[in-house]
Amino acid sequence: MGVTRLKRKDRRNKTVSRLEVQFLKLGRNLESGSRSREPKNSQVVKNNAVLDQIVAQSK
C-alpha cells in the first residue's frame, strides 16, 4: 500500500504540535545552576543594569 498524504488540516496540526512540544522543552530545561545563568557580559545583563539605573533615578 502506498504512502497516504495527510490532509491540509492534519499536516497543520502535526506541525503545530511538534513546534509546541519544542517550545515547551526549550522553556522548561532551565536549571538553577551556573550553566543557565546569563554571562556577566551578555547584552541582556547590560540592558537590565541600565533599566535598573533608570528606575532608581526616577524614584
Side-chain angles (χ1 to χ4, degrees), residues 43-57:
Q43 191 61 47
V44 174
V45 172
K46 292 177 187 174
N47 292 350
N48 287 341
V50 170
L51 289 173
D52 290 340
Q53 284 179 347
I54 293 172
V55 168
Q57 288 174 356

Side-chain angles (χ1 to χ4, degrees), residues 6-19:
L6 292 171
K7 288 195 161 83
R8 182 180 294 161
K9 183 178 73 172
D10 295 329
R11 282 202 313 264
R12 182 185 175 282
N13 287 344
K14 178 182 167 188
T15 306
V16 168
S17 66
R18 182 177 52 81
L19 292 174

